[in-house]
Amino acid sequence: VAPVYFASLEVLRTAVSTCVQRLSASALHEGLDDILPALIHRAGNLNSRISQASISMICHLGANPAVGVGYVARSVLTPMKRTSKNQTTELSGRLELLLRMLDRCGLAPRGLTTDAVLGFVLPALETPDDKVRNAAVAVVIDVYVRNGRTLDENTLFPLKPALRKMLLRKIAEADAAAGHEEVCMSTPKKDLAPLQDARRPYGAS
């Protein structure tokens, strides 16, 4: 029931603000270990109010230094189960959550790194659903901008040529809208292990 869920979020917010003054980070994380995955799952709820309230709560936790964006990001970037019945809706919610977390917390050296975020997002580009694909493009562009409008060539290499071309066009459009002339692809510096499986779309076995 939505009203009960909203009330429980307020209780959680109060509990966390109280506990951060009394508990160690490890104890706080232990208390959130079962709660956080449930919040992330509801970020893709069909009820938009539940979805938005869940996303706001997760971002609030990530922005709390005592909880830490790294701790929250590890759960957010955990690959989704491919057997989910509402996988498209859940994936769309997860991508919106990522975009909101980036807006609230920015890229972080522990958790919300470029490699980790793109390793989760790039496979979503192969999802046929337009809403999911557009959300994935938005996250990639956001990461590109936060990286000083540069992108390692290795990052996009695992994508199919058509998808890579589409993504570069979208990035170029974003650059043009911001008054920049071209996409800057940096020289490859390393293998990006999290991206090796990026050709496999969500829902594939």
Side-chain angles (χ1 to χ4, degrees), residues 43-55:
N45 196 279
L46 291 173
N47 183 320
S48 62
R49 291 181 62 208
I50 289 178
S51 173
Q52 292 303 311
S54 302
I55 289 173

Side-chain angles (χ1 to χ4, degrees), residues 4-21 28 31-32 35-36 39 49-64 66-67 100 104:
V4 175
Y5 182 68
F6 297 143
S8 70
L9 291 181
E10 289 306 312
V11 172
L12 176 60
R13 188 183 297 266
T14 301
V16 170
S17 64
T18 300
C19 290
V20 295
Q21 304 172 27
L28 194 59
L32 290 170
I35 297 173
L36 187 56
L39 289 174
R49 291 181 62 208
I50 289 178
S51 173
Q52 292 303 311
S54 302
I55 289 173
S56 294
M57 187 68 227
I58 296 164
C59 290
H60 173 74
L61 292 174
N64 188 317
V67 178
R100 291 270 296 276
R104 181 80 178 266

Side-chain angles (χ1 to χ4, degrees), residues 144-165:
Y144 165 73
V145 171
R146 291 178 188 279
N147 272 324
R149 295 187 179 274
T150 61
L151 208 58
D152 192 309
E153 289 181 55
N154 281 330
T155 303
L156 304 185
F157 181 75
L159 291 174
K160 294 176 181 178
L163 285 175
R164 189 162 60 246
K165 183 177 180 181

